[in-house]
Amino acid sequence: MHKTISKKKPKLGQHFLRNAEILEKIVKVSEINSNDKVVEIGAGMGDLTEILLKNAKEVIAIEIDPVLYKILKERFYGKENLVLINENALKFPYEEIGQFKVVANIPYYITKPIIFKLLKLKNLISMTLTIQKEVAERLAAKPSTKAYSALSIIAQYYTQAEIKFYIPASFFSPPPEVESAVIKMDRRDKSPVEVIDEKLFFKIVKSAFGQRRKMISNSLKSIIDEPKEFLIKIGINPIKRPEELSIEDFAFISNELCKICKK
């Protein structure tokens, strides 16, 4: 009999993806195999869960809605490679389950917080997520594009992100107001840039994009004294906008600032 852990939670709305062809395509691009432990966040009615169970060694399906949890429990009674969890996915102890992959249709209301939580986990191998098109494009965006943001840099610092395909709203029940995308994010063995102080690096990135329409010299005033002079000194054009700077540029700014602070 499969294991279950139940914690009663209030009913929440979800957009269910029940098209078998699309679900099979999601599992295919996730590249999971019979040796993998897979976490599904927001298992819903269990359509994706069923396909995952056929392809993975173990599936941990997390569903906060107690009504949906009951449906899942009845649908998959007796499945030995399934662990059902009825709790908030943001509170689940992922760091305690060993190496794992995530394959999930993420509930919209927790998209960003759950991604930020997962990105920092060293035992995460990859995540294949069905999320809002806009967020997916921001995660995979390159410099000098409209979608490029602090989220792009943070995601790409930890992972290699690639949008696999898009899903029209009509494939969901009920249909969301936005188009969705399936993105695969493979955790990097090593970050693409070396930074002396990660906390400062992320602080600079977030501060810069917090005022993305301003010149970089203006958007960093809260962190750097006389930012214009500092940027000129290290060879960064102070009139550039944040979206014009690469992850390498931000790492360079952060590291040069660290050197000054240590003097």
Side-chain angles (χ1 to χ4, degrees):
M1 185 183 295
H2 67 277
K3 301 177 285 294
T4 61
I5 301 173
S6 178
K7 291 185 179 181
K8 193 171 183 180
K9 295 287 180 180
K11 187 175 181 180
L12 298 164
Q14 281 181 244
H15 300 282
F16 302 110
L17 179 59
R18 309 204 68 182
N19 182 285
E21 185 177 344
I22 296 293
L23 293 171
E24 290 280 2
K25 190 175 180 181
I26 291 170
V27 173
K28 184 178 180 179
V29 300
S30 74
E31 299 180 301
I32 63 169
N33 59 57
S34 57
N35 295 316
D36 287 327
K37 178 180 292 184
V38 178
V39 174
E40 182 187 8
I41 298 166
M45 303 289 286
D47 296 279
L48 178 59
T49 315
E50 185 169 305
I51 301 172
L52 292 173
L53 287 168
K54 295 175 183 177
N55 289 273
K57 181 178 182 179
E58 180 182 5
V59 177
I60 300 173
I62 305 173
E63 178 52 60
I64 192 173
D65 189 322
V67 175
L68 293 174
Y69 170 77
K70 184 178 179 181
I71 291 171
L72 292 166
K73 190 175 178 180
E74 292 173 356
R75 178 173 180 173
F76 298 112
Y77 179 80
K79 288 289 182 181
E80 294 289 343
N81 63 329
L82 174 66
V83 178
L84 279 175
I85 310 274
N86 182 207
E87 70 174 52
N88 189 333
L90 289 168
K91 297 179 180 179
F92 182 75
Y94 301 93
E95 63 280 354
E96 297 176 8
I97 63 172
Q99 288 196 311
F100 70 100
K101 296 179 180 179
V102 173
V103 183
N105 174 17
I106 300 292
Y108 285 178
Y109 72 99
I110 63 164
T111 299
K112 290 179 185 177
I114 197 66
I115 288 174
F116 278 123
K117 183 178 180 69
L118 293 170
L119 282 174
K120 297 177 182 179
L121 297 170
K122 292 182 179 180
N123 56 324
L124 173 74
I125 299 171
S126 68
M127 45 184 164
T128 304
L129 310 176
T130 303
I131 56 177
Q132 303 99 307
K133 176 184 175 182
E134 179 187 355
V135 177
E137 290 180 342
R138 287 174 63 192
L139 289 165
K142 301 304 179 186
S144 299
T145 61
K146 186 179 179 181
Y148 189 62
S149 65
L151 182 60
S152 313
I153 294 174
I154 295 167
Q156 291 167 40
Y157 180 82
Y158 291 109
T159 71
Q160 289 181 301
E162 180 186 358
I163 294 175
K164 294 297 185 178
F165 59 94
Y166 295 98
I167 307 175
S170 58
F171 280 84
F172 294 85
S173 178
E177 296 180 358
V178 295
E179 191 174 354
S180 298
V182 174
I183 187 168
K184 186 167 188 282
M185 303 170 72
D186 295 308
R187 185 172 177 86
R188 297 179 185 271
D189 293 327
K190 184 180 179 182
S191 297
V193 292
E194 290 188 15
V195 294
I196 298 170
D197 184 335
E198 279 191 3
K199 189 175 180 181
L200 177 62
F201 169 69
F202 290 128
K203 185 178 180 181
I204 288 172
V205 169
K206 291 174 183 178
S207 178
F209 283 96
Q211 303 179 70
R212 64 179 296 141
R213 293 185 179 181
K214 290 187 176 183
M215 295 183 293
I216 187 69
S217 57
N218 288 332
S219 60
L220 294 180
K221 281 183 177 179
S222 63
I223 299 175
I224 304 171
D225 293 330
E226 299 183 348
K228 183 177 180 180
E229 289 75 8
F230 169 76
L231 292 168
I232 291 172
K233 184 177 180 180
I234 66 173
I236 298 289
N237 189 340
I239 69 170
K240 280 191 172 183
R241 301 298 193 269
E243 65 265 24
E244 296 178 90
L245 300 179
S246 66
I247 187 171
E248 289 80 10
D249 291 327
F250 280 106
F252 180 65
I253 292 170
S254 172
N255 289 342
E256 289 300 308
L257 186 58
C258 275
K259 292 176 185 177
I260 291 174
C261 293
K262 288 183 178 181
K263 288 181 180 179

